[in-house]
Amino acid sequence: MIYEHAAHPSVPVLRENNKPAPFPPEQTHNQHRKHKHMSTTDIESNEYKKQFLHEATRLAIESVEKGWGGPFGAVIVRDGKIIGRGQNRVLLTGIPVFHAEVTAIMDACGRINSKALLGSDYYEGNLKMIPRPEGSPDPVPERAQMLKGCDLYVNGAPCPMCMSAIYWARIDRVYFGTRLSDTSKIGFDDEFQYIDFKLPWEERKAIKCFPDFEREFALKACEAWQNKKDRHPY
């Protein structure tokens, strides 16, 4: 086995005996030709969308069978086409945050952007600035578009970390198959995290939190951002 990188340099893609990597960048020619002749109504139908949840589930099963991670897979879709794929890669990498939704977001962003490392002065790809939606409580008038206009399909309900990543990615819609109670039965108990997050910092049960520790010193970082005239909100 040898390791290669996906579109984003931090997402490992495994090749086994020189077989194709599990994250193909585009649809097959037949799929693409079929998609060209479909209307927006067809693409928005639940019947059409099923294929994306099925692909996410396929990726999840592959992750289990290969020993790469837990039973979770995800795809990101824009305009009815897959632009990013992800699998749970925790056991492959030893990195606990490599969940399916996170690796799918990294894969999609890596394919959208023309280069891996961008910078706050880069205004192309998913860092292109767009105005805030009408009626939005967003305190800034415009932000980087990230994955605005995309949907994410994952076979299981997102954990709090992944749900937060989905928010940060500005993904429009999330479709998931199994419930938190379903994955809890097989040892993936994310539900308690949602419950814990509702408690004040000092009352969290899972992790001891110490808010306001050296707050005045830490505020210097906020000042640095606020004073940066060419800051790039995201």
Side-chain angles (χ1 to χ4, degrees):
M1 293 186 182
I2 59 173
Y3 289 90
E4 291 190 350
H5 289 305
H8 192 284
S10 301
V11 183
V13 173
L14 187 66
R15 283 183 184 265
E16 184 176 1
N17 299 325
N18 292 322
K19 292 179 181 178
F23 295 171
E26 297 179 358
Q27 296 171 308
T28 66
H29 176 69
N30 287 338
Q31 288 174 317
H32 179 69
R33 185 171 59 185
K34 179 181 178 182
H35 178 270
K36 281 180 65 177
H37 294 91
M38 297 187 74
S39 67
T40 302
T41 303
D42 292 330
I43 293 172
E44 283 296 318
S45 70
N46 284 337
E47 195 61 36
Y48 184 79
K49 292 175 182 177
K50 286 180 182 178
Q51 64 178 304
F52 303 128
L53 200 287
H54 293 177
E55 173 64 1
T57 304
R58 183 194 69 79
L59 290 165
I61 294 170
E62 181 181 51
S63 181
V64 172
E65 292 177 343
K66 297 287 188 180
W68 295 340
F72 304 100
V75 299
I76 293 175
V77 175
R78 183 173 63 185
D79 299 329
K81 293 186 286 186
I82 294 175
I83 64 166
R85 288 173 167 84
Q87 291 167 298
N88 186 291
R89 295 290 177 88
V90 173
L91 297 180
L92 178 65
T93 63
I95 301 174
V97 299
F98 267 32
H99 289 197
E101 298 93 326
V102 172
T103 56
I105 289 169
M106 294 170 73
D107 187 52
C109 292
R111 298 187 189 284
I112 291 172
N113 296 318
S114 59
K115 55 183 181 177
L117 300 177
L118 306 179
S120 63
D121 60 342
Y122 189 80
Y123 286 84
E124 298 179 25
N126 67 343
L127 290 186
K128 177 183 176 182
M129 301 290 275
I130 60 172
R132 65 185 169 204
E134 186 176 348
S136 170
D138 195 332
V140 296
E142 58 179 10
R143 288 186 186 274
Q145 70 175 11
M146 295 303 178
L147 295 177
K148 190 73 178 166
C150 296
D151 298 333
L152 184 143
Y153 294 77
V154 59
N155 64 296
C159 72
M161 176 189 73
C162 292
M163 199 67 226
S164 181
I166 291 166
Y167 275 103
W168 278 106
R170 306 188 71 187
I171 287 169
D172 289 356
R173 298 176 294 192
V174 181
Y175 298 82
F176 56 90
T178 61
R179 303 172 181 176
L180 291 172
S181 57
D182 294 324
T183 49
S184 177
K185 292 174 183 175
I186 59 171
F188 294 90
D189 194 1
D190 298 325
E191 193 167 11
F192 87 92
Q193 296 176 27
Y194 280 106
I195 295 171
D196 212 33
F197 283 4
K198 294 178 181 179
L199 299 173
W201 290 112
E202 297 85 350
E203 297 178 24
R204 301 282 173 94
K205 292 178 170 52
I207 299 174
K208 275 281 188 182
C209 298
F210 300 89
D212 296 332
F213 184 74
E214 285 293 286
R215 179 173 179 268
E216 293 304 316
F217 188 83
L219 280 171
K220 292 179 179 181
C222 297
E223 293 170 5
W225 175 259
Q226 191 64 28
N227 293 333
K228 183 177 172 62
K229 293 181 180 180
D230 62 343
R231 61 182 180 273
H232 195 120
Y234 59 90

